[in-house]
Amino acid sequence: GAGVSQSPRYKVAKRGQDVALRCDPISGHVSLFWYQQALGQGPEFLTYFQNEAQLDKSGLPSDRFFAERPEGSVSTLKIQRTQQEDSAVYLCASSPGRQLEFFGPGTRLTVL
Amino acid sequence: DQQVKQNSPSLSVQEGRISILNCDYTNSMFDYFLWYKKYPAEGPTFLISISSIKDKNEDGRFTVFLNKSAKHLSLHIVPSQPGDSAVYFCAAETGNQFYFGTGTSLTVIP
């Protein structure tokens, strides 16, 4: 498909488990964003990549959160030692410029 | 601290009438504003945007108005269609960060 894809779509983790969420952006898109959306809230910024460079990670809520985009394409958001408050939908978006244009369907993470 | 606010969690409108969704913001440094539409189990879809140097931008049935002095923007949909039923988010940008409101759920009644 031509859109942004994310996997898995749903993830259930036990508290303390590590998880890895994958984002496949639209081919050729320079910008890649990760957002976290809690139930009933708007998306909140986590981090931003321009190609492989992570230009802004100020939104990552703790050092348990780590994101990478080593070849400037696919990105992985890793959460270590998951906590219940990490339960949310994690959205990835890509764009040819620096606007927030094309979102993926999100990964719904539930931490038990 | 919520920098972008959508104070109406829901709105119902008859098909064919105008839908007006409102958004307020507090940060005067925002220089770009966007509206997104979201269906359940999907990511947000970009609808329309406006730069802070403009006060109106129109795209088909969608028009966004920006009132900088009031720090207020609105999205007008006319005529409203049942397929417009979704959650609408406004967002504002400064730097590379986009700040979202909490969304307004629009229901267009056939």
Side-chain angles (χ1 to χ4, degrees), chain B residues 19-76:
Chain B
S19 295
I20 300 176
L21 297 113
N22 294 302
C23 182
D24 297 292
Y25 62 95
T26 56
N27 189 344
S28 57
M29 297 299 292
F30 289 142
D31 52 14
Y32 202 72
F33 303 88
L34 310 92
W35 283 95
Y36 296 85
K37 173 180 177 180
K38 186 181 182 304
Y39 293 119
E42 295 183 13
T45 301
F46 169 74
L47 273 179
I48 191 168
S49 62
I50 188 167
S51 164
S52 59
I53 62 173
K54 296 188 174 182
D55 55 18
K56 178 182 175 182
N57 188 26
E58 192 171 351
D59 183 2
R61 296 186 298 113
F62 301 92
T63 302
V64 56
F65 294 92
L66 175 63
N67 182 334
K68 284 186 66 178
S69 61
K71 295 191 176 70
H72 178 84
L73 71 157
S74 60
L75 175 67
H76 292 209

Side-chain angles (χ1 to χ4, degrees), chain A residues 9 35 42 56 58 98 100 104, chain B residues 32 36 41 43 93 95 97-98 101:
Chain A
R9 291 293 312 276
Y35 274 75
D56 189 343
S58 62
R98 66 182 192 89
L100 193 58
Chain B
Y32 202 72
Y36 296 85
E93 184 212 359
Q97 293 199 21
F98 294 78

Side-chain angles (χ1 to χ4, degrees), chain A residues 30-45:
Chain A
V30 169
S31 297
L32 187 145
F33 301 82
W34 283 99
Y35 274 75
Q36 179 192 58
Q37 186 174 17
L39 191 63
Q41 301 297 313
E44 291 193 2
F45 173 79

